[in-house]
Each structure stands twice: as C-alpha cells, then as structure tokens.
Amino acid sequence: MNDIEKIISEAVSETLKESGISETPNKVMSINEAYVAEAGQFELNTELLSSKTKKAHKELLDGYVKKLNNISANLDSVDKTSANLNNSVFRSLKIDETYNHNAAFLHGLYFENISDVNSTISMDTISYMRIARDFGSFDAWQEDFVACCLSARNGWAVTAYNMHLQRYVNTVIDLHSQNVMTGIFPVIVMDCWEHSYYRDYLKDRKTYVFAMMKELNWSVIEKRVKKADMIAKVLRS
Ligand SMILES: [Fe+2]
C-alpha cells in the first residue's frame, strides 16, 4: 500500500468508525471476503424530531446493516462463473450490496451530524473556511445545500470533498445509490427520504431541513473536514 492509499484508508476507516458502524479489521474494504458491520448506537437529543420517528429510523438502520451482512455472506459463496449483465445472482447481489452499504453508512453519518442542541459554527473553524472558499460564502453553501435537500427524491443531500476536483461539492443522491458522484468524502449528510420527516413535518421537507441544519453537529463535521484536509494534502503532493 503506497502513502496515498494508506492515508485515504486511515481517514476512511476513522470516519466509518465515527459514523457508528464498526468494522471487522481489514475486512470491510474487501470485496472478496465476507465482512460484518454493526449498527452504531446514537443518542439523538433533538426535540425537533418525535421519539417515534427517531426509534423507527434507528430500526431502519439496523435493518440495512443486517441486509448488508447477509449480502456479504452470500457474495462469499456465490457462483461467479455464471455472472452476466442480463440476469445473474452475482450481479443482483453486487447491486444490492451497494444499495445497503450506502444506506448503512449514510445513516450513520447522518445520525452523527444532526441533533446537536448547542450547535454553533465560528468563522475560524476549518469547516467554515473550506466551505466559504469553495462555495464563495457560507451563505452560498447553505443555499445550495438546501436546494440539494429539496431536489433529492427519496434520497440524500451530501456536502463532500471531491478528490477529483480537489474541492468541496454539494451533491444529490436518489435512493441510496443512484447518481453517486465518484471520489467523494462526505462531511455533511442529510437524510431526505420521506421516512425521516413525514410523521413530524408531513410534506413540508423544507421546514424539516431547516430544523436539522439548525442543529448540525459542527464539531463532528470539523473532524471530517480535517481528515479531508489530510487527503487533499496527499493529492497535492
Ligand atoms: Fe433514513
């Protein structure tokens, strides 16, 4: 493993751990061996979501993690010689693997970066400076991020460091795995599936998004941005 692979691997590994998904060492990145992930436990102190929504949402995460492990185990023993692009068990498992993988990790990242009832961001944080640098201003990022939140179907809005462009971008993901930009390292993640807000906000997604953004956990985001800085430094070297 060369330097860049090592640093990216360490940064990704740490973020996965902080996202609440533990991993079996050296297995979670493997595509050839079964891996086992475990849903993290999240304390959601926010009063801007009902306890029923929070409970049901955490149960969804548990379900995605169980499916991911199940798919991983099946991939370990599937017949690869009959793989084809029209209809094969291997192909179906690979598609489902990405769907459930993203569902599990995006939920972990989301739960971790919301629900800070004392949320605050100051202009001297790296998060603020990087966002202002790449979007023109913090307000411009906010406007663009909200637009992404409103544009996702049942899906996600993500602020991420893009390793190809070497800058931060906002991006929209439909479902858990459609329109996923490659080379991104997520730092701010918002669940825009109806299950995340409909019970509490009905069809008013905008109010839900504003409520969650009011309680973004900027100390969690700052840690992610610092890891992205490490990746950026290696990419520039
Ligand atoms: Fe969700």
Side-chain angles (χ1 to χ4, degrees), residues 25-231:
N26 303 322
K27 290 281 182 79
V28 79
M29 304 305 287
S30 168
I31 58 167
N32 295 317
E33 298 176 72
Y35 49 74
V36 176
E38 189 178 311
Q41 300 302 313
F42 300 93
E43 285 296 320
L44 297 179
N45 298 318
T46 182
E47 294 183 357
L48 301 176
L49 294 172
S50 65
S51 54
K52 282 189 177 175
T53 292
K54 287 186 265 192
K55 183 172 179 290
H57 212 163
K58 286 179 191 172
E59 287 169 358
L60 272 180
L61 167 60
D62 291 342
Y64 286 127
V65 172
K66 278 181 192 151
K67 282 288 177 201
L68 178 60
N69 288 331
N70 185 254
I71 291 162
S72 166
N74 288 336
L75 274 168
D76 211 28
S77 56
V78 69
D79 173 17
K80 294 176 184 171
T81 60
S82 57
N84 69 83
L85 61 88
N86 298 110
N87 177 21
S88 71
V89 175
F90 180 77
R91 178 190 148 76
S92 297
L93 284 169
K94 292 305 290 181
I95 301 301
D96 291 346
E97 180 189 36
T98 300
Y99 182 86
N100 286 280
H101 166 279
N102 287 7
F105 286 103
L106 286 169
H107 273 103
L109 291 164
Y110 162 73
F111 286 139
E112 193 192 37
N113 72 197
I114 60 165
S115 190
D116 178 5
V117 294
N118 299 310
S119 175
T120 180
I121 181 168
S122 60
M123 293 174 74
D124 60 355
T125 57
I126 298 176
S127 309
Y128 188 98
M129 289 188 280
R130 298 290 178 268
I131 284 172
R133 178 194 68 192
D134 290 347
F135 292 89
S137 69
F138 188 82
D139 287 349
W141 163 77
Q142 227 167 2
E143 185 187 22
D144 192 76
F145 189 73
V146 169
C148 287
C149 290
L150 300 180
S151 300
R153 291 177 179 155
N154 265 333
W156 302 83
V158 177
T159 299
Y161 182 72
N162 182 308
M163 290 180 260
H164 303 306
L165 302 173
Q166 299 188 31
R167 55 155 289 173
Y168 284 88
V169 296
N170 286 332
T171 187
V172 173
I173 297 171
D174 286 331
L175 299 177
H176 299 307
S177 50
Q178 287 184 8
N179 327 315
V180 181
M181 194 178 262
T182 66
I184 62 167
F185 185 82
V187 297
I188 305 173
V189 172
M190 187 67 69
D191 194 336
C192 297
W193 280 66
E194 288 185 345
H195 65 235
S196 61
Y197 64 88
Y198 212 86
R199 186 184 184 283
D200 303 329
Y201 296 87
L202 295 176
K203 63 181 181 181
D204 189 358
R205 186 189 294 187
K206 196 172 191 176
T207 300
Y208 153 76
V209 168
F210 282 1
M212 295 303 100
M213 288 180 74
K214 205 168 97 178
E215 293 185 343
L216 281 178
N217 190 324
W218 287 102
S219 53
V220 163
I221 295 164
E222 184 78 354
K223 284 182 194 166
R224 295 174 184 167
V225 169
K226 282 181 179 170
K227 285 173 196 152
D229 263 15
M230 289 167 59
I231 294 170

